[in-house]
Amino acid sequence: MLRTRKIRWLSGTMVLLAILTLLLPQALLPQAAAAQAQTSGIDAVLVADVSNSMNTSDRDKISNEAMKMFVDMLPVQGDKVGIVAYTDQVEREKAMLEIQSDADKSSLKDFIDQLGRGPYTDVSVGVAEAVNILNHGADPSHSPMIVLLADGNNDFNKTKGRTQAQSDADLAKAVKEAQDQGIPVYTIGLNADGKLNKDALADLAQQTGGKSFITDTPDDLPQILSEIFADHAKLNVVKLPSVTGNGSYQEVTVNVPNDSVLEANISIMSLKPVEVQLTDPSGQAVDLNSDAAKLSTSKSYSLMKLLKPQEGDWKLRVKGAPKDSIDINLLFNYDLQLVVDPIKTKSYTKGDKVDLAAKLENGGQPLQDNDLYTDMKATLVVKDVDTGKSEEQPLENTGSGFAGTFEVPDNHNYELVIRAEEDSFYRESAPITINASGAAGSGTQPTTSGGEQDNPFPWLPVILGVIALIVVGVGAWFLMGWLKRKNRGFVGQMVVEIRDENTGDKSYPQYKKLVSFRGRFHLHQLLQLDPELKETEKYVFTPSNGDRIIIRNTAGGTLEKSGRAVDASSGVELKNGDRLSIPLQQADKTILIEYLV
């Protein structure tokens, strides 16, 4: 009876999905795509060349300092970071970690400090692995990026027969994937020995929409990383007055221009240690390890992060060694989007006028703080798609948004983008296309609510109907397979250990025979349903062919197999002797598993 109900439920669900697909209003499709396109965070993979050539091109381990500073500059919560250390193979890898606390940032920085060196180099290996990590572990609502720290040179192991042509082909494939996925690669060329292959790194950045930088000293890190963040998040770097240390505290004013600032990153670079103090606009001293501000330090930098800072003048007091030059950069972080009001969708001709209006939104809602508009300027950037020429025209600042009129100058196709800017940030709208070529088509826009639209896909309901019938048929086929797999048994055993990440201690090995399980079981069952380890319920085992087992993370994510991070959301196959390492976020423990047949 239970099986019959299950079959009916699955069949009914598939039919219901088919019906909903047919009835889905076409107007919702562009809206869903637009919602998915909005970004609210960053998913970054830091890629470091750890070959022996770095002993001369990166003597001071600038790459380590840069990666740690990048982690410190990220918001306190929400963004995701992965790390790839490569030679001519992936030496070490840190799966995408969602930052939820200072402890997560410390974990990433500790991993960076443990990176060693190895022989040979192949840039394509590091870039390809970074793209693969983002393809499998990135959040669709986040903005992906790669930061590559290398000298750009290859050094192949001759015994493996690897050639430059093979490496170039693999790199080109990775670049194509990055282009298709909208993943910019920012490169930081490390040039302490003067042997940098700057052209290769610049070309890689240019092809993917990133930027390329060169350095041979940690002194450049704040400016480089600030520019990378600024470019990716559409921010402007605010340069604060430099200070020459005199052994006493010296005051620098940090102006927070409005209440829409989520975070202010103040990077302080000095050859010698500095001491810092901070007071808020009311004159009260600020605890630098609190909910209001956090101070992170390393051997080459200090980074102060103000969290949701009050508008007004903050006072930063810096005490440095006599004659020591202290550079200070400021970077604000905003959660703002520039949204254009819908326009009427139709074909245009020369001389037609298109009224445009845009406004800033915060979290999908119109900005409440209109003071932010006070010093902002907006520009309409018009690109003639047919000729490739671009021109700009100013827009009016209405005090609560921006407005203007575009007059179609010729019977061509045009792409319109509105850019709004002030001293600390800028935003660009999604492009609007205007069809004035006389060919069949219409102007399009990033959002659809409130606009008048023709149906561009009249056959879509028929196509979706056919797809729905196919889904039902395929679903029935899968249902039969599911019933067969449901009662399939397991063989062998698993050796399970639990490592405490705070102390490094491991439990005694436990040998768990699997013959009593049928169909599937989850990891929590192997751990005797310990409440502390409840999050292991998301790891599910199912039997496979040839005495093998599949493990899936039903919540999505990665685990380590034989020392390498792999995506577990679609399933990882285990054969005799394979080992797994599964880190837990809630318990500060790692589950170690060996599968034996």
Side-chain angles (χ1 to χ4, degrees):
M1 180 65 71
L2 179 60
R3 180 178 298 181
T4 301
R5 287 199 299 268
K6 187 78 171 182
I7 294 172
R8 289 175 178 170
W9 180 84
L10 286 170
S11 301
T13 300
M14 288 185 289
V15 172
L16 178 60
L17 286 173
I19 294 172
L20 288 175
T21 304
L22 287 170
L23 296 179
L24 181 67
Q26 293 181 43
L28 294 180
L29 297 177
Q31 290 178 331
Q36 187 177 12
Q38 291 183 356
T39 61
S40 58
I42 291 174
D43 281 355
V45 177
L46 309 178
V47 184
D49 180 348
V50 294
S51 65
N52 288 333
S53 66
M54 291 293 103
N55 291 329
T56 55
S57 59
D58 187 19
R59 289 189 296 265
D60 298 325
K61 291 195 172 182
I62 297 173
S63 58
N64 286 17
E65 292 298 290
M67 288 189 288
K68 290 191 292 184
M69 188 171 178
F70 184 97
V71 170
D72 282 331
M73 291 180 74
L74 290 173
V76 177
Q77 288 186 332
D79 289 353
K80 298 172 73 174
V81 178
I83 300 170
V84 175
Y86 73 93
T87 52
D88 65 338
Q89 62 185 5
V90 176
E91 294 291 339
R92 294 200 63 188
E93 183 174 322
K94 185 78 170 178
M96 295 292 289
L97 174 66
E98 182 174 357
I99 296 174
Q100 296 291 346
S101 65
D102 290 337
D104 291 331
K105 290 191 174 185
S106 296
S107 174
L108 289 165
K109 291 189 288 184
D110 289 344
F111 180 87
I112 292 167
D113 281 333
Q114 295 166 9
L115 297 178
R117 303 286 199 209
Y120 311 113
T121 319
D122 189 343
V123 175
S124 69
V125 170
V127 177
E129 184 66 9
V131 173
N132 181 58
I133 288 175
L134 286 170
N135 281 339
H136 291 91
D139 186 326
S141 69
H142 285 190
S143 179
M145 66 185 297
I146 294 171
V147 180
L148 171 66
L149 301 108
D151 61 11
N153 297 304
N154 285 334
D155 178 22
F156 304 116
N157 184 349
K158 295 180 180 179
T159 63
K160 293 184 177 180
R162 178 75 164 174
T163 66
Q164 184 65 49
Q166 291 172 324
S167 176
D168 290 344
D170 288 344
L171 183 59
K173 180 181 177 182
V175 167
K176 180 62 168 57
E177 286 189 52
Q179 291 171 334
D180 292 343
Q181 299 296 327
I183 304 172
V185 180
Y186 295 88
T187 62
I188 301 177
L190 305 170
N191 194 36
D193 59 0
K195 298 180 180 179
L196 177 73
N197 189 347
K198 62 179 182 180
D199 291 339
L201 295 176
D203 185 56
L204 175 58
Q206 188 274 329
Q207 288 187 72
T208 58
K211 288 188 176 181
S212 185
F213 303 87
I214 298 174
T215 182
D216 58 5
T217 170
D219 294 353
D220 298 333
L221 291 184
Q223 186 66 32
I224 289 175
L225 292 173
S226 294
E227 288 190 33
I228 289 175
F229 262 93
D231 183 73
H232 197 68
K234 295 181 173 58
L235 304 170
N236 292 327
V237 179
V238 180
K239 185 70 175 177
L240 296 179
S242 297
V243 173
T244 300
N246 60 11
S248 301
Y249 280 103
Q250 299 178 73
E251 190 171 271
V252 176
T253 298
V254 178
N255 176 258
V256 176
N258 54 73
D259 288 332
S260 296
V261 174
L262 289 180
E263 293 182 349
N265 287 301
I266 306 171
S267 57
I268 304 169
M269 183 61 65
S270 173
L271 292 176
K272 298 180 181 179
V274 297
E275 299 178 36
V276 294
Q277 296 176 346
L278 184 70
T279 57
D280 65 21
S282 68
Q284 296 294 315
V286 178
D287 182 354
L288 297 182
N289 187 23
S290 65
D291 293 337
K294 294 184 181 296
L295 178 65
S296 304
T297 59
S298 184
K299 66 180 183 181
S300 61
Y301 70 85
S302 297
L303 184 80
M304 184 181 299
K305 185 183 291 289
L306 310 185
L307 308 175
K308 295 183 179 178
Q310 176 187 349
E311 178 182 350
D313 288 340
W314 297 62
K315 301 297 182 182
L316 173 67
R317 303 180 70 231
V318 182
K319 180 179 179 181
K323 299 183 179 181
D324 190 20
S325 178
I326 303 170
D327 290 326
I328 307 172
N329 280 341
L330 174 62
L331 193 67
F332 293 115
N333 184 23
Y334 294 86
D335 183 18
L336 296 172
Q337 297 83 39
L338 183 63
V339 179
V340 182
D341 287 351
I343 63 172
K344 289 186 177 181
T345 344
K346 65 172 187 175
S347 294
Y348 294 88
T349 59
K350 180 179 178 179
D352 282 350
K353 295 183 178 180
V354 183
D355 292 328
L356 298 170
K359 59 183 178 296
L360 292 169
E361 290 188 355
N362 186 333
Q365 300 296 321
L367 186 67
Q368 299 298 315
D369 181 13
N370 285 340
D371 291 342
L372 188 59
Y373 289 103
T374 302
D375 297 319
M376 295 194 72
K377 295 180 180 180
T379 304
L380 175 64
V381 182
V382 180
K383 179 181 179 180
D384 186 323
V385 178
D386 296 344
T387 65
K389 295 182 179 180
S390 295
E391 61 180 34
E392 299 181 359
Q393 69 180 62
L395 296 179
E396 178 191 358
N397 184 332
T398 65
S400 59
F402 311 99
T405 300
F406 169 65
E407 183 173 341
V408 180
D410 211 332
N411 290 324
H412 292 176
N413 292 306
Y414 296 91
E415 182 179 86
L416 313 181
V417 173
I418 295 177
R419 177 184 171 114
E421 183 171 9
E422 62 108 62
D423 289 341
S424 61
F425 78 100
Y426 67 94
R427 288 294 183 269
E428 292 179 344
S429 70
I432 302 170
T433 59
I434 298 294
N435 181 353
S437 64
S442 62
T444 63
Q445 54 202 34
T447 57
T448 61
S449 57
E452 298 174 7
Q453 296 190 10
D454 297 323
N455 181 2
F457 305 109
W459 293 101
L460 186 58
V462 176
I463 295 172
L464 291 177
V466 173
I467 293 173
L469 292 175
I470 294 173
V471 168
V472 173
V474 172
W477 182 80
F478 274 109
L479 179 61
M480 298 301 295
W482 174 81
L483 293 173
K484 182 178 179 180
R485 292 192 302 270
K486 182 174 175 60
N487 290 311
R488 191 172 180 179
F490 293 83
V491 297
Q493 61 183 339
M494 287 186 178
V495 185
V496 182
E497 297 176 277
I498 302 175
R499 183 175 66 214
D500 189 317
E501 295 302 329
N502 294 317
T503 64
D505 295 335
K506 287 196 297 187
S507 66
Y508 289 108
Q510 301 180 50
Y511 294 81
K512 304 287 188 177
K513 295 187 181 297
L514 307 179
V515 292
S516 61
F517 294 106
R518 309 293 296 180
R520 56 180 277 167
F521 65 92
H522 53 72
L523 179 55
H524 197 208
Q525 292 171 267
L526 281 187
L527 302 175
Q528 299 178 338
L529 303 179
D530 185 341
E532 182 188 17
L533 308 177
K534 185 175 177 59
E535 64 181 289
T536 57
E537 287 181 339
K538 64 186 178 183
Y539 292 96
V540 176
F541 296 93
T542 55
S544 186
N545 297 327
D547 293 337
R548 300 187 179 192
I549 289 179
I550 303 294
I551 179 173
R552 289 182 176 84
N553 184 339
T554 57
T558 60
L559 50 77
E560 289 189 8
K561 177 184 176 183
S562 302
R564 291 194 61 183
V566 293
D567 177 36
S569 60
S570 57
V572 176
E573 186 176 66
L574 302 181
K575 62 182 184 299
N576 182 41
D578 280 346
R579 297 172 180 266
L580 296 179
S581 176
I582 302 176
L584 305 183
Q585 301 298 321
Q586 300 174 7
D588 287 333
K589 298 182 186 298
T590 299
I591 310 300
L592 307 173
I593 295 175
E594 182 178 8
Y595 176 52
L596 300 174
V597 179

